[in-house]
Amino acid sequence: MPELRRNPVPAANVQEAGASAAAPAAAPKVGFVSLGCPKALVDSEQILTQLRAEGYQTAKSYDGADLVIVNTCGFIDAAVQESLDAIGEALAENGKVIVTGCLGAKKDASGEDIITKVHPKVLAVTGPHAVAEVMNSVHTHLPKPHDPFLDLVPDHGIKLTPKHYAYLKISEGCNHRCSFCIIPSMRGDLVSRPIGDLMVEAENLFKAGVKELLVISQDTSAYGVDVKFRTGFWNGRPVKTHMTQLVECLGQLAKQYGAWVRLHYVYPYPHVDQVIPLMGDGHVLPYLDIPLQHAHPDVLKRMKRPASGEKNLDRIQAWRKMNPILTIRSTFIAGFPGETEAEFEYLLEFLKEAQIDRLGCFAYSPVEGATANELPDPVPQEVREERRARVMLLQEEISAKRLQAKVGKTLRVLVDEVGPREAIGRSAADAPEIDGVVHIKRALVPGKAKPAVGEFIDVVVTKADAHDLWATVA
């Protein structure tokens, strides 16, 4: 069966994560395919946790599954097709398929459900963040075991990531209405999780051995806006449901366990300035993932983005003065409808000044249901691709220069893999799966043990290219 997600953790890790006691031999088995972003991955983890709590087992193949759940993505056309293909494969190989995720909430131009129109034999379809609805469908088509064993589930739940890092989803939905995005129509408006619940989940993860906690949402900076930053409680003390207080508490907790906290999907609101000073002790990492998308004010206006390019550049420069080792990751769209050559050149100049460390650029792709499709002056496909290539060529130069400056320096890295000749790790500047890595030479050092997965080690950088670093154990 397909692996759990692209660049996935093998299915065996899912069973290992939840197996503190053996399930009954006759327990029904559920196969699981998880597609899409880390937020969808967390949805998958929640469903798997509930399945294990009720005594279901996880199947490693279609043949061994009594039914299959496919968690879909529906953001862009390529993701829609990948999801439909995965559903089709599951139907062909197994026959009993329940579908959940963002594509489940998406309709075509005529208002029909996309999934059932293409695959009418699926057993049930739900939208994202729908654990209860998915479980109801599972119960209908695969009755739960007679005696569920709650002790089969660890306190931190079932995880699809390696044991040493995990995602912490702090909210659902989004209040923005960006013209190129249909996420709010699938996941709804912002709903922040109680801060006390988040802190309990984070502590359970750290207790289970997680060394890096990746904070995710649709808009991390907006955490608490929907509940007017109401006061919650953690360890008996009041804490506001606010991004800065959440990050402060997570940093304190990470320090107790010698762990990292990494922030993703951070919109550049003014209060993010208050987070930068929290990045000084090596636990809240000096790393911000900021989805800027463009720099020209007119393009940002057509995108209906919540900030202007000039303010973003000023804010980035101010942050770097506060913390010179801050790593900034971002994504951009080239060839948005109406984008002129002058507006694109403006973006290139912005990138030269901003010196973004890690950057992804996408040629604009129309998404069914997005209001951007109605904008005049669409950019031809070949021009969109050419502009994307120009952005990435410039970024390769910027990245190579910034990484070259790290040669000779000592970095702390978290080890992800250990092979016969080298170990692979990540520094504070490297989020898993989307950024570069550090190749660590496995030279025999007298009196020093070889690196282990999930271990922090200090290394000296010896070489760099435009994406990765090479180093030796310090």
Side-chain angles (χ1 to χ4, degrees), residues 17 27 70 118 122 126 163 172 195 221 225 249 277 293 295 307 316 330 332 344 355 361 415 434 456 462 473-474:
V70 180
V118 177
V122 296
T126 73
K163 290 183 177 180
E172 272 293 339
I195 194 165
S221 304
V225 167
C249 290
Q293 308 301 4
I316 288 170
S330 191
F332 292 84
F344 176 71
Q355 294 286 294
C361 183
V415 178
I434 57 173
F456 288 108
T462 58
V473 179

Side-chain angles (χ1 to χ4, degrees), residues 321-357:
K321 286 181 181 179
M322 297 167 69
N323 191 323
I325 64 171
L326 177 68
T327 295
I328 294 177
R329 148 166 278 282
S330 191
T331 52
F332 292 84
I333 298 173
F336 190 76
E339 181 189 64
T340 64
E341 180 64 26
E343 290 170 341
F344 176 71
E345 291 288 347
Y346 186 100
L347 170 60
L348 295 181
E349 290 303 314
F350 171 89
L351 295 177
K352 291 174 185 176
E353 289 192 64
Q355 294 286 294
I356 304 294
D357 299 89

Side-chain angles (χ1 to χ4, degrees), residues 170-171 190-193 219-230 240-243:
I170 65 173
S171 63
L190 176 72
V191 178
S192 300
R193 294 181 58 195
D219 181 357
T220 295
S221 304
Y223 176 66
V225 167
D226 56 311
V227 293
K228 299 180 179 180
F229 309 117
R230 69 184 173 207
K240 281 190 176 181
T241 308
H242 191 281
M243 177 198 181

Side-chain angles (χ1 to χ4, degrees), residues 254-297:
K255 188 174 183 178
Q256 295 177 32
Y257 290 90
W260 284 352
V261 174
R262 189 183 300 273
L263 304 178
H264 286 277
Y265 310 106
V266 178
Y267 279 69
Y269 303 153
H271 65 260
V272 176
D273 297 357
Q274 302 167 31
V275 173
I276 307 301
L278 303 176
M279 298 177 171
D281 66 356
H283 295 288
V284 176
L285 296 178
Y287 178 103
L288 288 177
D289 173 12
I290 310 168
L292 295 174
Q293 308 301 4
H294 212 279
H296 195 283

Side-chain angles (χ1 to χ4, degrees), residues 77-99:
D77 290 346
V80 170
Q81 190 58 53
E82 180 186 32
S83 294
L84 291 174
D85 289 347
I87 296 166
E89 181 177 330
L91 283 169
E93 296 291 334
N94 183 276
K96 298 179 69 176
V97 178
I98 292 171
V99 181

Side-chain angles (χ1 to χ4, degrees), residues 383-461:
V383 177
R384 286 182 251 159
E385 293 293 345
E386 183 264 342
R387 288 178 180 175
R388 185 201 68 81
R390 287 163 65 187
V391 168
M392 296 312 298
L393 186 62
L394 171 61
Q395 180 58 28
E396 189 167 342
E397 296 175 7
I398 294 171
S399 180
K401 182 179 178 181
R402 294 187 72 81
L403 289 178
Q404 187 63 35
K406 297 184 179 184
V407 174
K409 294 185 177 180
T410 300
L411 302 178
R412 170 143 287 207
V413 301
L414 179 59
V415 178
D416 284 338
E417 302 175 29
V418 177
R421 296 188 177 184
E422 70 171 13
I424 303 293
R426 292 179 293 104
S427 72
D430 309 310
E433 300 186 4
I434 57 173
D435 293 330
V437 298
V438 182
H439 301 267
I440 307 159
K441 186 178 179 182
R442 290 283 308 282
L444 294 176
V445 180
K448 289 189 177 181
K450 67 179 181 180
V453 172
E455 174 187 4
F456 288 108
I457 61 172
D458 293 326
V459 300
V460 177
V461 179

